[in-house]
Amino acid sequence: GVHSIAEAVDDSNKRPDKVVFCFLEVDDGDEDDNYDEGDETKKSKAATIRFDQRQVASLKAVGAMIESNGGAWVCGGLNELTLFL
C-alpha cells in the first residue's frame, strides 16, 4: 500500500535507473497457480478488482512523480510493460 508507494518514490530519487512504475486500473484476476480442472478443492479465481477515479488519479500522480525523478512510468498495461522490459 502506501509504504510501497513511498518506497518507490524514494527509490526513484536514489536509484532512478532501477525503478519502473506500472499499475493496472482493472485486474480481472487469473486462475490460481494451484488450479486443477479435475480437483474441485483447488479451483480458485480472483475477483475483478478496480481502482476508483480518485485512486487512479493518485496513482497517475505517483507515476508522474517517479518519471520526473528519472524513473520509468509505463502506463499502457502489461503488454507495454513487457515490451519495456
Side-chain angles (χ1 to χ4, degrees):
V2 175
H3 177 75
S4 298
I5 289 173
E7 207 168 65
V9 172
D10 185 45
D11 283 350
S12 71
N13 278 311
K14 296 176 181 173
R15 297 173 283 283
D17 57 322
K18 297 185 182 227
V19 176
V20 178
F21 182 76
C22 179
F23 70 92
L24 301 176
E25 289 187 35
V26 177
D27 182 2
D28 290 328
D30 198 359
E31 292 177 350
D32 190 297
D33 288 343
N34 296 322
Y35 181 79
D36 181 350
E37 199 166 324
D39 186 349
E40 289 294 324
T41 64
K42 291 187 177 181
K43 287 187 178 182
S44 170
K45 279 202 165 211
T48 298
I49 300 169
R50 296 179 185 276
F51 288 115
D52 65 34
Q53 290 179 347
R54 284 185 350 193
Q55 291 169 319
V56 170
S58 293
L59 288 166
K60 286 181 178 180
V62 169
M65 188 181 311
I66 287 173
E67 191 172 54
S68 72
N69 290 341
W73 177 24
V74 181
C75 54
L78 293 179
N79 289 336
E80 186 177 326
L81 180 62
T82 300
L83 292 173
F84 176 84
L85 296 174

